[in-house]
Amino acid sequence: MVKVVIVGGVAGGMSAATRMRRLDESAEIVVFERGAHVSFANCGLPYYAGGVIEDRDELLLQTPESLGARFRLDVRVRSEVVSIDADARTVTVRDLESGNTYVESYDELVLSTGASPIVPPLPGVERALILRDVEDVDRLVGQMETARSAVIVGAGFIGVELAENLRHRDLDVTVVELADQVLAPLDPEMAAPVADRMRQNGVNLELGTQLTRIDATTADLADGRTVPADVVVMAIGVRPETALAKMAGLKLGERGGVAVDDQMRTSVPHIFAVGDTVEKHDAIGDSAALIPLANPANRQGRLVADVIAGRPVHARSSSGTAVVGVFGLVVTATGWNEKRLRAAGRPYRAIHTHPQSHAGYYPGAQQMSIKLLVDPETDAILGAQAVGGDGVDKRIDIIATAMAGGLTASDLADLELAYAPQFGSAKDPVNMLGYIADNLRTDSTRTVQWHELDTLVADGASLVDVRTADEFAAGAIPGAVNVPLDELRDRVGELPAGDLVVHCQVGQRGHTAVRLLGQLGRPAANLDGGYKTWDAGRRVNAPATVS
């Protein structure tokens, strides 16, 4: 009979424990959890804080009693493992209720200690809250009962979720973010609509600055301004919780997480690690990465149980697919973004589209924005982002699945996806990305990016807007000449000499114009994503006000 000790519950730890029981009824399985709850919906914490989830008990998925009854697990909450003796195969445990310590033996040990929130050493920071477990959200809800304002430090996934939910509680919310955009996994032009939506819903965004001090009811910014702050929540990010691993002599990786192989084995025999505490293998960079997401943690928990049970399984690389809701917007990403590719010096090709969520003639279609990043040599998909309403999550999941299956960007054109007018289009937005990728791969068209346009114009290129006169009058890129697409054949002689860049609203008419002009002896490039993408990029650092 094997004895498995698991340190830490929630996603990775409890997935390992329950899977282990399903595989081996005779195993002795002990779970130590430092907190009061071993299985809870941590991704639901912001929504309980905002009152969207009304019943606190809905967050509590399992209890030690229920896990004992169904899976015969020995779950001990408020029990902190303080040291590991790898040679003796024992752990020392402190009972946080009594303060007593004792020693527990193991045959196989699984560390699922997670990641801890980053809290900078600011004056007054002891007043700031974090949001990691149920006790944290209880403290937040308690403070909100008498609060009128809140400051959230960090505009990542948790930060923007909290901003929405605290606005739902009618608090005046300020989000302070050191970067010049919200949601770092997005590129700037994709993040701009998210920032717009947050401001439209009353969130004060302080981008490109940081907190320097927290006082009783206010907080100071680096530029000297003060913002109201009855409640302060730190949502800067997390780092792997590795103190126990380091004490046990486990090797850490280059990113600071526990180093594991593809069977979740650490550098010390009979000790495994899973979840947010470990480094994953990045599917795009073929390197170590920190990816603190629920899906990989759950998958690794199941996998480590399989390994302990003797099954020949191996972890796959991770692309970090994620989704967040922001005041009705659905925001998604997978793989690498353009910023990261440029920083790594890796060649790429970018594609922007702005399709409808389903057939435009069927009521209720919503526009979305999609960005696909492609290796120009191999046509491999390097990453994608999508922002919009209905159907955005479906599209990013299709792309993430295509990446996992090794499909190229051009292969997306051939995916046979479910279609009815209320659900999609005969040429689904994912198919359209494949068509564009194939056009670029075969040199059927040439595109330029929104951030390249100023340089091209400065070097002498002329910009031709092929939208209608009414569209042009409603808003145009400075210096553009308006020649509507339907008049282009007859007016080609009016176009300026030299290099041409054409654009429309979202890119589709621009592509048609490029094909036409090329056959009329005037080669041109299409502004990828059209006016809509250029406008979003232009607004990244523009001054903005709160509605």
Side-chain angles (χ1 to χ4, degrees):
M1 179 181 72
V2 64
K3 181 177 181 180
V4 180
V5 169
I6 300 170
V7 182
V10 198
M14 294 319 303
S15 292
T18 53
R19 175 66 170 174
M20 192 69 222
R21 173 58 70 226
R22 293 186 183 102
L23 294 175
D24 187 349
E25 177 60 25
S26 67
E28 182 181 356
I29 305 169
V30 182
V31 180
F32 294 110
E33 168 56 45
R34 181 173 55 193
H37 304 92
V38 72
S39 180
F40 61 92
N42 50 355
C43 295
L45 299 178
Y47 299 95
Y48 173 66
V52 177
I53 298 174
E54 298 180 355
D55 186 352
R56 180 179 178 277
D57 288 345
E58 293 295 326
L59 300 172
L60 307 178
L61 306 179
Q62 296 285 347
T63 65
E65 293 75 22
S66 66
L67 290 164
R70 179 166 298 178
F71 295 104
R72 199 166 59 83
L73 302 178
D74 180 358
V75 178
R76 307 178 197 177
V77 297
R78 301 289 294 157
S79 298
E80 181 180 15
V81 174
V82 294
S83 66
I84 301 169
D85 186 333
D87 293 330
R89 286 205 235 176
T90 62
V91 296
T92 300
V93 185
R94 177 182 292 117
D95 184 324
L96 296 180
E97 297 293 339
S98 67
N100 296 329
T101 61
Y102 60 94
V103 174
E104 189 81 24
S105 65
Y106 66 83
D107 295 319
E108 308 293 344
L109 179 65
V110 179
L111 301 182
S112 179
T113 49
S116 55
I118 297 170
V119 179
L122 302 176
V125 77
E126 61 277 1
R127 191 167 74 80
L129 303 176
I130 59 173
L131 194 63
R132 184 183 187 185
D133 55 31
V134 178
E135 289 84 357
D136 292 334
V137 80
D138 287 341
R139 283 188 283 270
L140 175 57
V141 170
Q143 286 198 17
M144 287 194 300
E145 291 179 358
T146 57
R148 298 179 60 186
S149 61
V151 167
I152 299 165
V153 185
F157 288 165
I158 299 300
V160 298
E161 284 182 334
L162 272 173
E164 176 178 4
N165 280 283
L166 298 195
R167 283 296 297 141
H168 191 258
R169 292 278 197 179
D170 292 327
L171 269 66
D172 294 330
V173 176
T174 297
V175 176
V176 181
E177 169 57 53
L178 184 59
D180 59 4
Q181 66 167 79
V182 301
L183 294 175
L186 300 185
D187 287 314
E189 75 279 15
M190 302 298 289
V194 184
D196 291 344
R197 182 63 65 91
M198 294 177 73
R199 291 182 176 115
Q200 290 162 7
N201 284 273
V203 176
N204 176 35
L205 290 180
E206 296 291 349
L207 305 178
T209 189
Q210 58 186 326
L211 232 57
T212 58
R213 182 182 182 87
I214 303 172
D215 291 315
T217 59
T218 60
D220 295 343
L221 302 180
D223 60 9
R225 289 179 297 135
T226 298
V227 292
D230 295 332
V231 175
V232 179
V233 185
M234 290 292 167
I236 297 173
V238 297
R239 59 169 60 96
E241 192 163 307
T242 58
L244 189 61
K246 285 190 283 189
M247 283 193 294
L250 274 61
K251 178 183 177 182
L252 301 187
E254 60 189 77
R255 302 299 303 277
V258 177
V260 293
D261 64 12
D262 63 358
Q263 290 191 316
M264 314 315 298
R265 300 180 190 273
T266 71
S267 59
V268 175
H270 306 288
I271 301 180
F272 300 81
V274 299
D276 295 351
T277 194
V278 308
E279 294 184 349
K280 284 79 171 176
H281 185 263
D282 185 273
I284 307 303
D286 192 25
S287 59
L290 298 177
I291 304 176
L293 296 172
N295 181 286
N298 277 283
R299 178 71 186 100
Q300 289 176 347
R302 175 186 171 95
L303 185 143
V304 78
D306 286 352
V307 172
I308 293 171
R311 295 192 168 201
V313 294
H314 302 272
R316 292 178 61 103
S317 299
S318 178
S319 59
T321 306
V323 60
V324 64
V326 188
F327 294 106
L329 276 182
V330 181
V331 184
T332 66
T334 189
W336 283 24
N337 58 30
E338 185 176 359
K339 294 177 296 185
R340 188 172 179 185
L341 291 167
R342 292 173 71 180
R346 185 162 179 175
Y348 65 90
R349 179 183 291 136
I351 298 170
H352 294 81
T353 62
H354 302 279
Q356 299 293 314
S357 57
H358 58 66
Y361 61 82
Y362 190 89
Q366 301 177 19
Q367 190 172 51
M368 65 180 73
S369 297
I370 307 177
K371 180 174 185 177
L372 189 73
L373 294 156
V374 182
D375 188 306
E377 298 296 326
T378 66
D379 203 34
I381 303 171
L382 302 177
Q385 302 153 49
V387 178
D390 292 343
V392 166
D393 53 337
K394 175 170 72 171
R395 272 62 186 219
I396 210 73
D397 283 343
I398 294 170
I399 295 169
T401 302
M403 292 169 66
L407 299 186
T408 66
S410 298
D411 287 336
L412 298 177
D414 295 323
L415 293 179
E416 186 175 344
L417 304 173
Y419 162 64
Q422 65 269 49
F423 301 114
S425 301
K427 294 179 181 178
D428 189 85
V430 174
N431 297 135
M432 292 301 298
L433 291 169
Y435 294 140
I436 298 169
D438 186 64
N439 284 339
L440 293 168
R441 181 181 63 86
T442 58
D443 295 324
S444 298
T445 193
R446 185 167 64 92
T447 61
V448 299
Q449 294 303 309
W450 65 273
H451 52 77
E452 300 171 327
L453 186 59
D454 287 348
T455 300
L456 291 170
V457 171
D459 289 342
S462 298
L463 183 62
V464 180
D465 186 334
V466 299
R467 299 177 300 164
T468 66
D470 288 343
E471 289 176 289
F472 184 78
I477 301 176
V481 175
N482 182 219
V483 182
L485 177 60
D486 294 344
E487 302 173 17
L488 193 56
R489 285 183 182 84
D490 298 329
R491 297 177 58 185
V492 67
E494 302 176 21
L495 299 181
D499 294 337
L500 297 177
V501 176
V502 302
H503 83 85
C504 62
Q505 185 69 14
V506 298
Q508 188 169 359
R509 284 173 290 173
H511 169 65
T512 300
V514 166
R515 296 297 302 158
L516 171 60
L517 288 171
Q519 295 173 76
L520 294 177
R522 292 300 310 273
N526 185 20
L527 179 60
D528 182 53
Y531 180 85
K532 188 173 181 67
T533 296
W534 173 86
D535 185 54
R538 175 186 64 86
R539 290 184 288 106
V540 169
N541 293 317
T545 57
V546 177
S547 300

